[in-house]
Amino acid sequence: MNPLSNPTAQAVDNVLIYIFGFSLILLLGITVATIYFVIRYRRSTNPQPTSQVHGNLWLETLWTLLPTLIVLTMFWYGWVNYVGLREVPDNALQVKATARMWSWQFEYPDGRRENKLYVPVGRPVKVNLISVDVLHNFFAPAFRIKRDAVPGMETYLWFTATEAGSYDVFCAEYCGLGHSAMITTIEALDQADYAAWAQPAETPQPTAEPHGLTILKEQGCTGCHSLDGSPLVGPSFKGLAGRTTRLDRDGKIEEVEADADYIRRSLLQPKADIVEGYPPIMPAADYLSAEEIEAIVDYLLQPADE
Amino acid sequence: MSIEHRDDTGDRFGMWLFLYTEVILFSGLFILYAVSLYKFPEQFGEASHKLNIYFGTINTLVLLTSSLTIALALSAIRMGRNKQSLVLCLTTIGLALLFLINKYFEWSAEIGHGIYPGSAQLAAMGPGITTFFNLYYFTAGLHGLHVLIGASLIGVVAVLTARGRVSAERCGLLENSALYWHLVDLVWIFLFPLYYLIL
Amino acid sequence: MNEATPRYGGFFAESPRPGILGWLLSTDHKRIGIMYLACITSMFIVGVCLGLAIRLELIAPGPTIMGAQTYNATFTVHGVIMIFLFIIPSIPAAFGNLLLPIMIGARDVSFPKLNLLSWYFYISGAILAVIAIFSGGGAPDTGWTFYVPFSTQTTTNVNLAVTAAFMLGFSSILTGINFVTTIHRLRAEGMHWGRLPLFVWTLYATAWIQVLATPMLGITLVLVLLERLFGAGLFDAARGGDPILFQHLFWIYSHPAVYIMILPGMGVISEVIPTFARKPLFGYWAMALSSLAIAFAGSLVWAHHMYASGMSDMAIMIFSLLTFLVAIPSAIKVFNWVSTLYKGSIQLAPPMLFALSFIFLFSIGGLGGLALGAAASNLHLHDTTFVVGHFHYTMFGGTGFAFFAALHYWLPKFTGRMYDHKPAVIAWALLFVGFNITYMSMQAVGIQGMPRRYYDYLPEFHTLNRVSTIGSWILAVGLIVMFVNLWRGIRGGRRVGNNPWGATTLEWQVPSPPPMENFGAQDPVVTKGPYDFKGVVADEY
Amino acid sequence: MSEQQHEPVPYRTFILTWLALLILTTITVVVSRIELGALNIWAALAIASLKSSLVIFVFMHLKQESKLFRVCLLVMLVILAIFIGLTFFDVLYR
Ligand code: HEA
Ligand code: HEA
Ligand code: CUA
Ligand SMILES: [Cu+2]
């Protein structure tokens, strides 16, 4: 837990240090007292108890009131710092984060979509969280912030990166098989780099990857479908083109040639036909635009070039 | 084996504790109800109009009366009028069956309209209404189950009374079954206005 | 007990029915208690072995001994077994049944048949849970919290697991009803409230929670089941449901449940410490009432598990405040235990060692709970392995160690035989050291930000995880030594008298093992308080 | 067994209670048909509570039971109120 300079982390660390500090003192006190008594009054030196006292009203009220005060301060300090975590500075950059099994997608005001959260150093960022399937949780340890992404409900959190760099983001709400793989990063860029990143690349670079592939990555398809043939939750895309897939249409197995409209179906009504041996958990990709889908189909159908 | 040792008050106390657990059990559904009502007031009003108020009211009267008869049955046995008590128990069971028959017709009517948990028609009616009916079916269903249990308990009591095993001195079983039956009544006392009567 | 000696065998020997039926159909609280003890201990052993497997998987990043799906199933089953099959029934159902009636001078509980029934619910729940692991769609992978919507979507055996948990809840309710009634109705002559042993007080508080909170779990699980069967959508946002509401219903039970787990443990400690300090418990009434206070306050704080869930900030403030209030009665208890030692004559027998380490470990766990209870710091620590550390400190370091203390304290009573003390002390040392290594490092890596329920983790978390895993091996050795030693003690340990420790509560005045009706012909008449050591001598030491 | 069993309650007490319950039922139905907005639900609940206390005290003999029984009932109701009330601290302010 290296000391961090960003506001949210400081708010939380204050509380952590305050509570852990008190706890340490209390724990030490109790432990030392116990050990001292055990040694001082051990049977060998103290064969008979030298007191049969039943209690002491003053002492007991004392250590009822003292803890009460202590915990109340802890509560208050924790609460005021929490309020700070909820009040978003109004010049904040708004980013929409979509969580799905098991990937993140960040959408910027200008409609650009990314799998990593690129933010400018020094400017507050408000992340609006939504989930398309189950509960997820956006957790950035470096900023001490955490919030569930709840289906059918919008939650938010905010932070300010004070140093350029790359910070981990975890999914901290159990969401099934890929939970521990649902990781991305916050890329904090200083002004120049951010400006360079932010302005739309008007001329697509010659080395640009096929549009379909970009979408697959953006949409988190690759969270479940590998491109290199390695089995993930879903069947790999490698060699999907022209592959005859064995489908499990409620009980009976059917062989299907993976052609364009098969892929469209798999995308739009995944539950309709389930590839044999796989769970029926693929979310319908109906949020994709028609041309996006065509791009995917084209990409998936182009013969794997060795 | 523990020696034959009798503690009627203790038995009643235990029964009351058990009834508390039943109340909490139903309260979970009532929490869901309260929250959903707060979220969808007008949908709930609309949905509750789809329920047949006559069935509801009649069933309320039936249950209240059955509560009376079982209470009377207890007094009767205490006064040593075992025959009367037996008759009253049987009346209670009769009323319980009447209640269930009513429910059967009510539900089959609604299911006839395609309104049941998971039905396409229900889903088409939109969030609030779906929630209302799902809650209605689960709560009423759970309550119906309790009616069944209570009735069979009283059935046992009736048999034992006929055999003379339940009497003025040993009426603990009747006492506790009566308590249980009154709980069934209590639940319905809340269930009825919440589901049938809100505008 | 099985050896063919004419020796006195207590309730092990006397039974209206011969053989196994004498146990399976017995309504005697001691026999039921022993049956609980046997099942619970075996479940515990299964659970800890799963825990060991979890640690092995986490020894290094990337897959080591199992796949992701297996891992998720492993910690789910580990959690379900530990919570529903081990820790909740551990002390109340096993030692509560064994001791409660004797401690208050009764012949049995109020409803012996109900008591047996609740054991049958327990065992059927256990069997169902085991079936759920090995059958059909594969072991449940939801985590023991069954959060929707995941739990309504996964294709694994959640239905079976949920049904099992439901039955176990029912078993727990029946035990609760039984204990409350027993304590109210069957106290011996002269055993007024001011003379109840603290263990009975804590059982009383626990029983109330079991009665008033458990049904909420029941209905919640039923709803999950209906959700899976009929797709009612009560928790499905798309259909007007509310996933957060499920969390409320779940924690309304499951937070009070953590006090079901710890309170009886605190009771055990309150029995052991006076005995080995030869001194009355400090502040009897403070201890008794703080138990009730914990039980009550414990039912006001459930949503402190939901700070990050998207719950309203208003609720977060209220629940954070209430959460801190719960800490106060616990603090009172800790301080009173420590001051009971003052000017005592302290004997570090095995039960005492476990009791003293309970204070230390529970304090660490509880103080960690404070950091979790504060709104701001919770946002960093929530669902990290810090939480995992917290609840192992409270559950294993707290209740678990109290359970071990109870085993070492009362087994001689119920078997009439004493285990070897040297191995017991060695086992304790191993457990204590291994425990702190395992879970201290877990808390540390949690503070660094490693989320829980993670099958795989980033390299930066490697060192601490490895340390933690090694610690779990020390723990394992300690546990094995302890169990083997206790087992040998039960079978062939040397015979001891009725009151080896020189304790004062009623159970030590009857023969060991106690006879069927506990007190022979006429019921006892109580004339003094529970911790009055004048003139009581230990036949050990 | 003197404290174990209480005196049998005369029939007429029960019958009068039953009549009261019937009257209250008709009242709820009638009231519910009048448009009172949010008040409707509270009225319904109030009457329901009234009815249930009749059932509890008369039919279930709580009147005759010892103080312990009433205290426990109170405890249960308090806990119930807490469960429902605190949940609304979330729902209302979300
Ligand atoms: C035996 C079980 C047990 C016990 C006793 C406790 C006790 C406490 N717990 Fe814990 N808790 C769990 C089991 C338990 N817990 C479990 C299983 C979970 C995780 C569930 C899951 O998500 O899987 C959990 C999670 C959990 C959370 C949610 C974490 C998260 O997921 O975000 C919180 C938050 O407030 C919390 C708080 C507390 C507090 C304040 C106490 C208090 O009662 C502690 C009181 C004790 C002390 C304070 C220490 C002793 C006193 C002193 C040393 C004297 C000095 C003290 C003062 C002056 C205050 N616990
Ligand atoms: C009382 C409760 C209890 C106990 C005692 C334990 C014991 C242990 N638990 Fe437990 N654990 C939970 C309750 C408990 N756990 C719960 C509720 C969860 C949450 C689940 C969830 O997230 O849903 C959890 C989750 C959990 C996790 C987090 C998983 C994750 O989030 O990714 C981990 C990780 O290390 C872990 C490890 C351990 C270990 C190493 C032990 C060690 O104590 C084990 C030590 C014992 C051994 C290593 C084996 C010893 C061998 C024997 C005893 C055999 C003897 C045989 C004979 C004598 C014949 N547990
Ligand atoms: Cu997404 Cu965990
Ligand atoms: Cu809690």
Side-chain angles (χ1 to χ4, degrees), chain A residues 170-187:
Chain A
F170 299 118
C171 174
E173 185 64 65
Y174 177 68
C175 54
L177 196 59
H179 172 53
S180 60
M182 193 166 163
I183 297 178
T184 180
T185 55
I186 293 173
E187 300 293 342

Side-chain angles (χ1 to χ4, degrees), chain A:
Chain A
M1 208 171 80
N2 54 326
L4 287 145
S5 56
N6 65 74
T8 48
Q10 273 166 349
V12 171
D13 287 352
N14 293 340
V15 183
L16 277 176
I17 292 162
Y18 181 77
I19 294 183
F20 282 154
F22 251 115
S23 304
L24 206 62
I25 298 168
L26 288 160
L27 184 65
L28 274 179
I30 290 159
T31 319
V32 170
T34 313
I35 294 175
Y36 172 75
F37 289 159
V38 168
I39 296 171
R40 170 72 180 72
Y41 302 113
R42 62 187 183 281
R43 181 79 42 101
S44 48
T45 60
N46 213 38
Q48 285 307 321
T50 44
S51 149
Q52 287 293 322
V53 58
H54 282 271
N56 176 324
L57 189 58
W58 288 115
L59 270 177
E60 290 171 52
T61 26
L62 173 72
W63 62 54
T64 310
L65 295 183
L66 211 59
T68 315
L69 293 179
I70 297 175
V71 292
L72 285 180
T73 61
M74 288 178 176
F75 155 70
W76 184 247
Y77 200 43
W79 170 249
V80 289
N81 282 283
Y82 173 81
V83 172
L85 298 177
R86 305 298 296 153
E87 285 165 351
V88 186
D90 35 18
N91 66 330
L93 164 69
Q94 303 264 345
V95 181
K96 171 157 164 266
T98 308
R100 67 167 58 88
M101 289 172 160
W102 290 281
S103 67
W104 295 98
Q105 186 197 88
F106 303 100
E107 189 171 340
Y108 288 80
D110 63 0
R112 151 199 314 247
R113 298 200 194 121
E114 296 288 349
N115 288 109
K116 292 182 171 182
L117 181 51
Y118 294 91
V119 300
V121 166
R123 172 155 179 216
V125 180
K126 181 184 184 203
V127 186
N128 300 305
L129 298 159
I130 61 163
S131 164
V132 299
D133 37 42
V134 300
L135 294 175
H136 300 279
N137 182 310
F138 183 100
F139 175 33
F143 302 96
R144 314 277 190 262
I145 50 172
K146 184 181 279 124
R147 204 75 178 173
D148 275 11
V150 186
M153 174 174 169
E154 185 166 313
T155 56
Y156 71 90
L157 39 69
W158 76 273
F159 65 93
T160 309
T162 45
E163 298 156 38
S166 155
Y167 305 92
D168 294 324
V169 172
F170 299 118
C171 174
E173 185 64 65
Y174 177 68
C175 54
L177 196 59
H179 172 53
S180 60
M182 193 166 163
I183 297 178
T184 180
T185 55
I186 293 173
E187 300 293 342
L189 312 172
D190 50 33
Q191 305 308 11
D193 300 356
Y194 186 74
W197 171 85
Q199 60 171 277
E202 53 290 312
T203 56
Q205 303 87 324
T207 64
E209 60 188 8
H211 185 41
L213 179 54
T214 330
I215 301 177
L216 286 184
K217 288 184 179 156
E218 275 182 8
Q219 297 298 332
C221 314
T222 46
C224 298
H225 299 284
S226 75
L227 300 168
D228 57 1
S230 59
L232 294 179
V233 187
S236 169
F237 285 149
K238 180 144 187 270
L240 173 60
R243 165 164 80 204
T244 54
T245 323
R246 311 192 68 235
L247 291 183
D248 183 342
R249 285 223 175 77
D250 44 30
K252 44 185 164 33
I253 303 299
E254 296 179 17
E255 303 244 336
V256 179
E257 166 87 10
D259 55 11
D261 46 0
Y262 165 72
I263 294 184
R264 284 195 203 86
R265 238 183 311 113
S266 305
L267 273 172
L268 296 173
Q269 311 112 9
K271 306 274 178 297
D273 37 40
I274 302 302
V275 180
E276 188 189 12
Y278 287 93
I281 59 171
M282 160 146 174
D286 42 19
Y287 43 82
L288 292 177
S289 68
E291 57 271 27
E292 275 175 325
I293 292 186
E294 288 321 308
I296 292 177
V297 173
D298 296 346
Y299 171 74
L300 288 179
L301 282 181
Q302 73 184 276
D305 44 334
E306 257 66 305

